Amino acid sequence: MDKKRKISIIGSTGSIGTQALEVIEKLQDKFEIIALAGGNNAELLKEQAEKFKPKFIYAQKDIKIDGTKSLKNLDEIAENQENDIILVACSGKIGLKPTLKAIENGIDIALANKETLVMAGDIVMKKAKENGVKIIPVDSEHCAIHQCIKDISQVEKLIITASGGPFLHKSIEEIKTATVKEALAHPRWNMGRKITVDSATLMNKGLEIIEAHHLFGMDYDDIEVVIHPQSIVHSAIEYKDGSVIAQLGLPSMHIPIQYAISYPERFEGIKSKSFSFSEIARLDFEKPDFEKFPTVKLAYKAGRMGGSATACLNAANEEAVFEFLDGKINLYQIYEITKEIFDNHKVIQNPTIEEIFEVDEKTRLQTKELIKKITQK
Ligand code: MG
């Protein structure tokens, strides 16, 4: 990178967005921020804009910063050809449209937003290929795989690691009675609320399987999940000749974020301390318990069905997670409700983007209605 890489961040006030800005602050001579877009936290967005002085901001509320132009929508960021790369760090379906728009404009994407690929992976990856756009994963597991792969045609299988979340060795009964606070107390990673609950039910891993299928074009039969509580091995691949290559590192999202926005270069950036095998001493691995965490099986099923199935799964799960966070249902019911909605979904094969959004909306309504019915009993 001789000249500064021009970057915009969609979702700059969230967990990934704020950590990305920490990376960029450390690498000020490598990056120039074109635009920042934030959600509800207008105060923080204002602070960020004052500090990083982007050319543009997009806020849901009206905020004014001297020397920074306010944009009306996210498309204005996605259409701006000044960008070398856009970090899509927001959570939820809001990431999908600007990502597609940026791809159409030939802008590379650092993708932290899972929903984009879970909802519309076929469309997104096809468009990226047509437009010669790189989709560089930020999710730590996919970033690990991206770092391990040289030639995908020689890969036998992907091995995605999962920390197992806070309920790894708890009983189903304990999972059923888990409080929101317990579900949000992730042992290894500090993340947003939705993804932390998904990590507790292991649905996060389910969504990551679907994400991996699209990013790397691997069959679901060749994507494996293994529990690895220390979160040191971030994922691995097995080559056809039996060689296994894994990416290791201390559990910090700064590393995958920095890799994704700097790729193919590597910088020192934020590195808390040097890696020591002897300090870590041991790495444990075990098979996931699909009886206790059936969400993973459900995600495999949705992935194999393809079409609109994964968009339905994603929407039902997300609504159920919100209701859990709201205290309406218990943690295990997130799965039960998602499954019931999913089982009744009529899959549309090769859906258009409009059909995907229709499925998303319909599924959310159905999920809310079902939860209302259950909780009124
Ligand atoms: Mg992950």
Side-chain angles (χ1 to χ4, degrees):
M1 256 186 242
D2 293 334
K3 58 181 178 60
K4 286 186 178 182
R5 186 173 283 196
K6 293 186 171 125
I7 184 168
S8 290
I9 303 177
I10 295 178
S12 66
T13 54
S15 169
I16 297 288
T18 49
Q19 292 180 82
L21 286 174
E22 285 161 15
V23 169
I24 290 170
E25 189 179 5
K26 189 91 190 187
L27 296 171
Q28 281 175 40
D29 55 330
K30 310 283 184 197
F31 293 96
E32 178 186 338
I33 297 177
I34 302 295
L36 295 178
N40 300 322
N41 196 342
E43 249 338 275
L44 178 57
L45 183 62
K46 195 164 178 252
E47 243 173 66
Q48 292 176 339
E50 276 161 356
K51 185 168 175 184
F52 291 94
K53 310 213 179 322
K55 284 189 177 174
F56 306 99
I57 52 164
Y58 167 76
Q60 284 175 356
K61 283 180 202 153
D62 206 17
I63 53 176
K64 285 197 172 47
I65 313 281
D66 281 346
T68 298
K69 190 175 171 239
S70 287
L71 300 175
K72 282 186 206 69
N73 55 53
L74 293 174
D75 279 357
E76 288 186 83
I77 297 177
E79 283 164 355
N80 188 341
Q81 301 276 354
E82 264 185 291
N83 287 302
D84 294 313
I85 189 161
I86 296 179
L87 170 62
V88 183
C90 56
S91 101
K93 64 176 167 180
I94 194 162
L96 178 50
K97 275 188 179 159
T99 303
L100 280 172
K101 183 69 78 181
I103 292 171
E104 283 162 13
N105 283 284
I107 302 165
D108 288 340
I109 304 287
L111 188 63
N113 176 272
K114 282 193 176 75
E115 289 82 356
T116 296
L117 292 176
V118 173
M119 288 175 72
D122 289 332
I123 296 174
V124 170
M125 294 312 289
K126 188 168 169 257
K127 270 215 167 130
K129 206 175 163 193
E130 283 166 5
N131 289 283
V133 163
K134 289 194 214 67
I135 308 276
I136 306 149
V138 173
D139 209 347
S140 62
E141 295 78 1
H142 307 79
C143 174
I145 292 168
H146 191 259
Q147 294 185 59
C148 294
I149 289 178
K150 267 196 194 153
D151 177 357
I152 188 75
S153 71
Q154 296 178 339
V155 176
E156 180 82 22
K157 68 173 180 189
L158 309 180
I159 305 163
I160 298 181
T161 53
S163 73
F167 306 112
L168 177 59
H169 294 123
K170 298 272 161 67
S171 66
I172 290 189
E173 280 317 306
E174 284 171 294
I175 293 171
K176 281 186 177 168
T177 55
T179 63
V180 170
K181 201 174 156 204
E182 284 167 337
L184 289 178
H186 197 278
R188 298 284 163 202
W189 299 97
N190 188 5
M191 308 173 287
R193 283 156 64 89
K194 153 74 171 47
I195 185 174
T196 305
V197 174
D198 281 344
S199 298
T201 63
L202 284 206
M203 180 58 97
N204 184 49
K205 219 37 65 177
L207 300 177
E208 286 178 355
I209 291 163
I210 299 165
E211 211 185 341
H213 163 80
H214 290 296
L215 279 168
F216 306 110
M218 292 292 281
D219 282 347
Y220 285 98
D221 291 344
D222 302 325
I223 304 174
E224 196 179 285
V225 173
V226 64
I227 301 288
H228 167 47
Q230 291 95 349
S231 295
I232 296 293
V233 176
H234 299 305
S235 278
I237 61 173
E238 184 183 339
Y239 279 105
K240 289 190 166 134
D241 64 1
S243 274
V244 176
I245 314 270
Q247 187 259 342
L248 284 72
L250 297 171
S252 156
M253 278 313 290
H254 286 131
I255 300 171
I257 292 168
Q258 186 181 310
Y259 171 85
I261 63 175
S262 311
Y263 177 81
E265 296 197 57
R266 289 183 189 267
F267 306 114
E268 198 168 316
I270 297 179
K271 196 172 73 176
S272 53
K273 59 175 188 169
S274 201
F275 188 87
S276 160
F277 271 105
S278 53
E279 251 175 59
I280 287 159
R282 60 179 286 177
L283 301 171
D284 295 298
F285 300 94
E286 59 185 272
K287 264 196 165 158
D289 182 343
F290 288 154
E291 297 309 311
K292 221 159 67 180
F293 299 106
T295 51
V296 182
K297 263 203 299 204
L298 195 59
Y300 268 113
K301 189 176 172 188
R304 288 187 172 107
M305 286 165 90
S308 62
T310 53
C312 167
L313 177 86
N314 175 64
N317 173 67
E318 188 167 313
E319 285 305 317
V321 169
F322 291 153
E323 301 278 346
F324 166 73
L325 284 169
D326 222 18
K328 302 252 176 60
I329 58 172
N330 75 44
L331 190 71
Y332 197 79
Q333 280 177 306
I334 297 174
Y335 161 71
E336 291 174 330
I337 287 159
T338 303
K339 184 176 187 304
E340 185 165 342
I341 295 289
F342 177 76
D343 285 346
N344 286 306
H345 175 62
K346 279 204 177 58
V347 178
I348 306 167
Q349 289 300 339
N350 303 311
T352 62
I353 203 77
E354 290 77 22
E355 284 171 322
I356 287 170
F357 279 110
E358 274 166 34
V359 166
D360 178 87
E361 238 165 78
K362 207 172 125 196
T363 304
R364 285 172 196 273
L365 285 175
Q366 286 169 340
T367 309
K368 278 184 199 149
E369 271 167 32
L370 177 63
I371 292 171
K372 221 178 187 177
K373 220 171 80 189
I374 292 170
T375 51
Q376 274 169 356
K377 264 184 199 162

